[in-house]
Structure formats: C-alpha cells, structure tokens
Amino acid sequence: SGMGAVMRELTTEGKPSGRPNSERVATAINALLKQLAAGPSFDLALVGYQSDAQGQSSVGSRWGGASAGRDFVPTGELLAAPLRTETRVRKVPTGGFGPPREESVEFPVWYAPTPGAKAPQIAAYTYCRELLARWSSDAGSNPGTPLVIHISAGASGDGNPQLAISKLMESTTPGGHPLLLQAHLAASAAVVSALYPSNYVYLTIGSARDQFRRASVLPPQLVEALQAAHVTVNPGARGLIYNAKIADLIQMLSLVKAHTQHWPSKGGVAAPEPLA
C-alpha cells in the first residue's frame, strides 16, 4: 500500500505529481542504472520482493529482457540489454522566470514495478544474504565492500526482520561486512523527513527507530559525498532516510557512484551521465 501511495510532491511545473511511489521509484532506479552503465563496470543485483493475497512470496532477481534469470549483471553490460527503451519528455530549466522547455530523450528501462499484497522483508533480507554468499565465492580477493540499498514504504509482511538484517550486516565477504542503506518513502509530501540521523533519540518511537537500527553507519567516502552535495551529516550518521521524498531517494542512490568509484573495474570507463 505504501508503494501505491501518491505523495503529491510538486513537479518542476509547480503542480503536485499524481504518480504513485512505485512508478517514481522505478524511474529513479532506471535513471541510476543508465548512469552506472557509463562505467566503471561492477557487479549489480536488482532484487524485488512481494507476496500475494494468499501469502505466497515472490523474492528474487528483477532483471528482465536478455538479463532475465541472472543474479548479477556487470553494469558495463546494461546498455546492451534493457527491458525496453522509451521516449520520454524531460523538462529543462531555461533560467530566469521563463517556463522550462521540453525535450525528448531516450530512456532505457531495466526495472518495471509489479504490485503485491504484502512485503515479506525477512525473506528478502535472507535472499540477499544468500546472494552475497554466492557472489563472494567468485568475487576474488579485492572486490570492494558490498553495498545494499533497501527501498521500502511500509512494514514487513512476514514478521520482524531484525534478525535477518543482523545476519546480513554481519555476513563476511572478501570486501568486508556489507553496508546497508535504508530508504523509507513517505506516503505524503506533507510529512517531515529525517535524513541521515546520527542519534535515534531525535526520531519518533516505533518504525523510525527500528529503521535507524537497521542502517549502517556511513563510511567517510559517503559522508564526503553528501557534504559535497550540501547535505548536513553529523558524526555517526546512519545511512537512513525516513519519510523520504523522491528527491531524497535520488540523492541516496547517487551514493552508489561515490562508493564504487575506487572498486576494481570489470570493464572500460566512459564519461558519466547525469541522472535523468
């Protein structure tokens, strides 16, 4: 239900968006994948989870098209295998007081959301831990620290996932324990967001504090990236955005580049593109 919520954030035209969270998240993810496809190349998994009204869970890879069925896809192979390519209209600010101009752009789509009745997070975190274990066996001696970004808009549908999260965060890989970032989306643009908190006492009792415990402390390279983008980050800040807006999510997703830029590359390097 949270992914189906319409947040009604203002668009560049100053009008409330009528698109549900699921569609806007998909756009943010696909824009990130387009940027990552420019290089350098590294292994990337795209995992989704849901259950139907009868409680039957579906957890696993959400790659489509030619990459369907694969656990990891090197980002250098993304442009060769999108699910489809759409022509979209992008609004570009013209400066001054004039309205933004429109231009058509080719937009590759790798991820398309599918609705579900509930969100089985225990099953999802367990799947990711097993996925990392399989990846670690072939990753070599210096693959970089794995980064897991979890995007959610509500509570777990199969119980408290804290134990499964702890096992994931404590799992060992050649690059060390994985970093876990949590992006919890708001259901309405009117609610107040909490971005990268450093102490749970400033969060409301309940879900926000639970999410705080489920997020890793930000490493120096991610702190520096956020500060360079003029985001306030205090010592001990966690990788958590709670009741986040889509702009906050896009900002968090941009940390993937900051985290992976020093990883050993699996392919050539091209000039990066801005997020669409």
Side-chain angles (χ1 to χ4, degrees):
S1 61
M3 281 297 178
V6 177
M7 201 184 301
R8 298 189 66 78
E9 283 181 289
L10 295 181
T11 66
T12 54
E13 297 176 310
K15 299 178 180 179
S17 172
R19 298 171 62 204
N21 278 343
S22 58
E23 291 184 12
R24 302 183 74 203
V25 167
T27 294
I29 291 174
N30 286 310
L32 172 69
L33 296 180
K34 181 181 179 182
Q35 185 187 41
L36 296 180
S41 187
F42 58 87
D43 292 331
L44 183 69
L46 181 63
V47 176
Y49 63 98
Q50 60 173 253
S51 62
D52 59 24
Q54 286 71 45
Q56 184 66 39
S57 295
S58 171
V59 181
S61 174
R62 292 301 189 257
W63 296 116
S67 298
R70 298 177 67 179
D71 287 337
F72 287 91
V73 174
T75 54
E77 298 180 13
L78 288 175
L79 287 179
L83 180 63
R84 62 180 182 271
T85 299
E86 300 176 353
T87 300
R88 297 192 178 186
V89 175
R90 179 168 60 183
K91 297 185 183 296
V92 181
T94 56
F97 298 98
R101 62 181 175 84
E102 295 183 350
E103 64 178 25
S104 297
V105 295
E106 295 298 305
F107 190 77
V109 172
W110 292 270
Y111 169 68
T114 54
K118 294 183 179 181
Q121 292 186 12
I122 293 176
Y125 283 111
T126 301
Y127 177 90
C128 287
R129 179 168 57 88
E130 295 169 349
L131 189 67
L132 279 177
R134 295 197 298 271
W135 171 83
S136 295
S137 65
D138 299 319
S141 60
N142 185 30
T145 302
L147 174 66
V148 179
I149 300 181
H150 176 226
I151 305 171
S152 65
S156 173
D158 59 352
N160 188 332
Q162 186 61 54
L163 180 59
I165 291 170
S166 297
K167 289 181 178 180
L168 170 63
M169 297 175 74
E170 294 168 2
S171 59
T172 302
T173 76
H177 300 304
L179 291 171
L180 177 57
L181 307 186
Q182 298 281 358
H184 171 274
L185 298 180
S188 168
V191 301
V192 177
S193 303
L195 307 180
Y196 308 104
S198 58
N199 195 318
Y200 72 90
V201 299
Y202 300 111
L203 301 172
T204 56
I205 296 175
S207 175
R209 294 190 179 187
D210 290 341
Q211 294 282 2
F212 180 86
R213 289 188 286 269
R214 297 168 185 173
S216 299
V217 174
L218 291 172
Q221 72 270 20
L222 299 191
V223 171
E224 292 172 3
L226 288 169
Q227 290 175 336
H230 307 292
V231 178
T232 300
V233 185
N234 294 317
R238 300 287 181 107
L240 166 65
I241 53 177
Y242 189 82
N243 278 336
K245 313 305 188 294
I246 295 299
D248 302 322
L249 174 63
I250 293 172
Q251 177 71 67
M252 175 176 274
L253 293 178
S254 73
L255 296 178
V256 175
K257 292 287 283 189
H259 180 68
T260 60
Q261 62 183 348
H262 300 301
W263 279 5
S265 175
K266 292 181 176 293
V269 178
E273 297 182 14
L275 287 176

PDB file of all heavy atoms in Angstrom, residues 173-191:
ATOM      1  N   THR A 173      32.377 -11.022   3.587  1.00  0.00           N
ATOM      2  CA  THR A 173      32.718 -11.111   2.172  1.00  0.00           C
ATOM      3  C   THR A 173      34.189 -10.724   2.019  1.00  0.00           C
ATOM      4  O   THR A 173      34.789 -10.185   2.958  1.00  0.00           O
ATOM      5  CB  THR A 173      31.852 -10.157   1.317  1.00  0.00           C
ATOM      6  OG1 THR A 173      32.332  -8.809   1.476  1.00  0.00           O
ATOM      7  CG2 THR A 173      30.380 -10.226   1.709  1.00  0.00           C
ATOM      8  N   PRO A 174      34.811 -10.975   0.862  1.00  0.00           N
ATOM      9  CA  PRO A 174      36.204 -10.567   0.673  1.00  0.00           C
ATOM     10  C   PRO A 174      36.417  -9.067   0.848  1.00  0.00           C
ATOM     11  O   PRO A 174      37.531  -8.625   1.160  1.00  0.00           O
ATOM     12  CB  PRO A 174      36.497 -11.004  -0.767  1.00  0.00           C
ATOM     13  CG  PRO A 174      35.557 -12.120  -1.026  1.00  0.00           C
ATOM     14  CD  PRO A 174      34.310 -11.766  -0.275  1.00  0.00           C
ATOM     15  N   GLY A 175      35.361  -8.267   0.682  1.00  0.00           N
ATOM     16  CA  GLY A 175      35.471  -6.824   0.853  1.00  0.00           C
ATOM     17  C   GLY A 175      35.025  -6.338   2.215  1.00  0.00           C
ATOM     18  O   GLY A 175      34.932  -5.129   2.441  1.00  0.00           O
ATOM     19  N   GLY A 176      34.726  -7.264   3.133  1.00  0.00           N
ATOM     20  CA  GLY A 176      34.280  -6.892   4.471  1.00  0.00           C
ATOM     21  C   GLY A 176      32.780  -7.062   4.624  1.00  0.00           C
ATOM     22  O   GLY A 176      32.083  -7.585   3.749  1.00  0.00           O
ATOM     23  N   HIS A 177      32.260  -6.613   5.768  1.00  0.00           N
ATOM     24  CA  HIS A 177      30.822  -6.683   6.004  1.00  0.00           C
ATOM     25  C   HIS A 177      30.098  -5.731   5.056  1.00  0.00           C
ATOM     26  O   HIS A 177      30.570  -4.617   4.797  1.00  0.00           O
ATOM     27  CB  HIS A 177      30.498  -6.302   7.449  1.00  0.00           C
ATOM     28  CG  HIS A 177      31.134  -7.184   8.470  1.00  0.00           C
ATOM     29  ND1 HIS A 177      30.962  -8.556   8.486  1.00  0.00           N
ATOM     30  CD2 HIS A 177      31.947  -6.891   9.524  1.00  0.00           C
ATOM     31  CE1 HIS A 177      31.631  -9.070   9.487  1.00  0.00           C
ATOM     32  NE2 HIS A 177      32.245  -8.093  10.140  1.00  0.00           N
ATOM     33  N   PRO A 178      28.940  -6.114   4.522  1.00  0.00           N
ATOM     34  CA  PRO A 178      28.212  -5.223   3.613  1.00  0.00           C
ATOM     35  C   PRO A 178      27.677  -3.988   4.324  1.00  0.00           C
ATOM     36  O   PRO A 178      27.357  -4.027   5.514  1.00  0.00           O
ATOM     37  CB  PRO A 178      27.073  -6.103   3.086  1.00  0.00           C
ATOM     38  CG  PRO A 178      26.910  -7.187   4.103  1.00  0.00           C
ATOM     39  CD  PRO A 178      28.258  -7.412   4.692  1.00  0.00           C
ATOM     40  N   LEU A 179      27.617  -2.895   3.588  1.00  0.00           N
ATOM     41  CA  LEU A 179      26.960  -1.686   4.056  1.00  0.00           C
ATOM     42  C   LEU A 179      25.484  -1.771   3.687  1.00  0.00           C
ATOM     43  O   LEU A 179      25.140  -2.186   2.577  1.00  0.00           O
ATOM     44  CB  LEU A 179      27.566  -0.444   3.409  1.00  0.00           C
ATOM     45  CG  LEU A 179      28.985  -0.069   3.817  1.00  0.00           C
ATOM     46  CD1 LEU A 179      29.493   1.061   2.920  1.00  0.00           C
ATOM     47  CD2 LEU A 179      29.027   0.347   5.274  1.00  0.00           C
ATOM     48  N   LEU A 180      24.614  -1.356   4.600  1.00  0.00           N
ATOM     49  CA  LEU A 180      23.178  -1.404   4.355  1.00  0.00           C
ATOM     50  C   LEU A 180      22.587  -0.010   4.525  1.00  0.00           C
ATOM     51  O   LEU A 180      22.689   0.585   5.600  1.00  0.00           O
ATOM     52  CB  LEU A 180      22.499  -2.382   5.316  1.00  0.00           C
ATOM     53  CG  LEU A 180      20.982  -2.506   5.236  1.00  0.00           C
ATOM     54  CD1 LEU A 180      20.521  -2.901   3.830  1.00  0.00           C
ATOM     55  CD2 LEU A 180      20.464  -3.521   6.265  1.00  0.00           C
ATOM     56  N   LEU A 181      22.017   0.526   3.460  1.00  0.00           N
ATOM     57  CA  LEU A 181      21.334   1.809   3.490  1.00  0.00           C
ATOM     58  C   LEU A 181      19.836   1.565   3.419  1.00  0.00           C
ATOM     59  O   LEU A 181      19.367   0.710   2.663  1.00  0.00           O
ATOM     60  CB  LEU A 181      21.767   2.703   2.322  1.00  0.00           C
ATOM     61  CG  LEU A 181      23.264   2.940   2.134  1.00  0.00           C
ATOM     62  CD1 LEU A 181      23.494   3.967   1.023  1.00  0.00           C
ATOM     63  CD2 LEU A 181      23.934   3.384   3.418  1.00  0.00           C
ATOM     64  N   GLN A 182      19.088   2.353   4.183  1.00  0.00           N
ATOM     65  CA  GLN A 182      17.636   2.204   4.255  1.00  0.00           C
ATOM     66  C   GLN A 182      16.954   3.473   3.722  1.00  0.00           C
ATOM     67  O   GLN A 182      17.218   4.569   4.213  1.00  0.00           O
ATOM     68  CB  GLN A 182      17.191   1.969   5.703  1.00  0.00           C
ATOM     69  CG  GLN A 182      17.742   0.713   6.350  1.00  0.00           C
ATOM     70  CD  GLN A 182      16.995  -0.541   5.930  1.00  0.00           C
ATOM     71  OE1 GLN A 182      16.020  -0.474   5.174  1.00  0.00           O
ATOM     72  NE2 GLN A 182      17.437  -1.679   6.431  1.00  0.00           N
ATOM     73  N   ALA A 183      16.080   3.289   2.733  1.00  0.00           N
ATOM     74  CA  ALA A 183      15.282   4.395   2.201  1.00  0.00           C
ATOM     75  C   ALA A 183      13.813   4.083   2.444  1.00  0.00           C
ATOM     76  O   ALA A 183      13.235   3.214   1.780  1.00  0.00           O
ATOM     77  CB  ALA A 183      15.548   4.598   0.710  1.00  0.00           C
ATOM     78  N   HIS A 184      13.217   4.774   3.409  1.00  0.00           N
ATOM     79  CA  HIS A 184      11.796   4.599   3.720  1.00  0.00           C
ATOM     80  C   HIS A 184      11.048   5.783   3.131  1.00  0.00           C
ATOM     81  O   HIS A 184      11.314   6.938   3.460  1.00  0.00           O
ATOM     82  CB  HIS A 184      11.592   4.544   5.235  1.00  0.00           C
ATOM     83  CG  HIS A 184      10.144   4.587   5.642  1.00  0.00           C
ATOM     84  ND1 HIS A 184       9.446   5.764   5.824  1.00  0.00           N
ATOM     85  CD2 HIS A 184       9.271   3.580   5.906  1.00  0.00           C
ATOM     86  CE1 HIS A 184       8.207   5.490   6.180  1.00  0.00           C
ATOM     87  NE2 HIS A 184       8.077   4.174   6.237  1.00  0.00           N
ATOM     88  N   LEU A 185      10.106   5.509   2.231  1.00  0.00           N
ATOM     89  CA  LEU A 185       9.417   6.571   1.498  1.00  0.00           C
ATOM     90  C   LEU A 185       8.189   7.076   2.241  1.00  0.00           C
ATOM     91  O   LEU A 185       7.477   6.317   2.889  1.00  0.00           O
ATOM     92  CB  LEU A 185       8.989   6.065   0.121  1.00  0.00           C
ATOM     93  CG  LEU A 185      10.104   5.637  -0.828  1.00  0.00           C
ATOM     94  CD1 LEU A 185       9.506   5.167  -2.144  1.00  0.00           C
ATOM     95  CD2 LEU A 185      11.097   6.759  -1.057  1.00  0.00           C
ATOM     96  N   ALA A 186       7.961   8.370   2.123  1.00  0.00           N
ATOM     97  CA  ALA A 186       6.775   8.987   2.714  1.00  0.00           C
ATOM     98  C   ALA A 186       5.544   8.641   1.888  1.00  0.00           C
ATOM     99  O   ALA A 186       5.620   8.403   0.687  1.00  0.00           O
ATOM    100  CB  ALA A 186       6.954  10.502   2.779  1.00  0.00           C
ATOM    101  N   ALA A 187       4.402   8.635   2.543  1.00  0.00           N
ATOM    102  CA  ALA A 187       3.129   8.451   1.850  1.00  0.00           C
ATOM    103  C   ALA A 187       2.548   9.782   1.410  1.00  0.00           C
ATOM    104  O   ALA A 187       1.649   9.837   0.580  1.00  0.00           O
ATOM    105  CB  ALA A 187       2.137   7.724   2.746  1.00  0.00           C
ATOM    106  N   SER A 188       3.077  10.886   1.976  1.00  0.00           N
ATOM    107  CA  SER A 188       2.584  12.224   1.654  1.00  0.00           C
ATOM    108  C   SER A 188       3.740  13.209   1.706  1.00  0.00           C
ATOM    109  O   SER A 188       4.629  13.109   2.569  1.00  0.00           O
ATOM    110  CB  SER A 188       1.499  12.655   2.640  1.00  0.00           C
ATOM    111  OG  SER A 188       1.204  14.038   2.519  1.00  0.00           O
ATOM    112  N   ALA A 189       3.738  14.167   0.796  1.00  0.00           N
ATOM    113  CA  ALA A 189       4.781  15.189   0.784  1.00  0.00           C
ATOM    114  C   ALA A 189       4.688  16.111   1.987  1.00  0.00           C
ATOM    115  O   ALA A 189       5.623  16.873   2.267  1.00  0.00           O
ATOM    116  CB  ALA A 189       4.692  16.008  -0.510  1.00  0.00           C
ATOM    117  N   ALA A 190       3.582  16.044   2.742  1.00  0.00           N
ATOM    118  CA  ALA A 190       3.381  16.951   3.868  1.00  0.00           C
ATOM    119  C   ALA A 190       4.132  16.513   5.121  1.00  0.00           C
ATOM    120  O   ALA A 190       4.336  17.321   6.031  1.00  0.00           O
ATOM    121  CB  ALA A 190       1.895  17.073   4.183  1.00  0.00           C
ATOM    122  N   VAL A 191       4.555  15.245   5.203  1.00  0.00           N
ATOM    123  CA  VAL A 191       5.222  14.768   6.412  1.00  0.00           C
ATOM    124  C   VAL A 191       6.673  15.230   6.435  1.00  0.00           C
ATOM    125  O   VAL A 191       7.270  15.523   5.397  1.00  0.00           O
ATOM    126  CB  VAL A 191       5.150  13.227   6.527  1.00  0.00           C
ATOM    127  CG1 VAL A 191       3.714  12.754   6.551  1.00  0.00           C
ATOM    128  CG2 VAL A 191       5.910  12.569   5.379  1.00  0.00           C
TER     129      VAL A 191
END
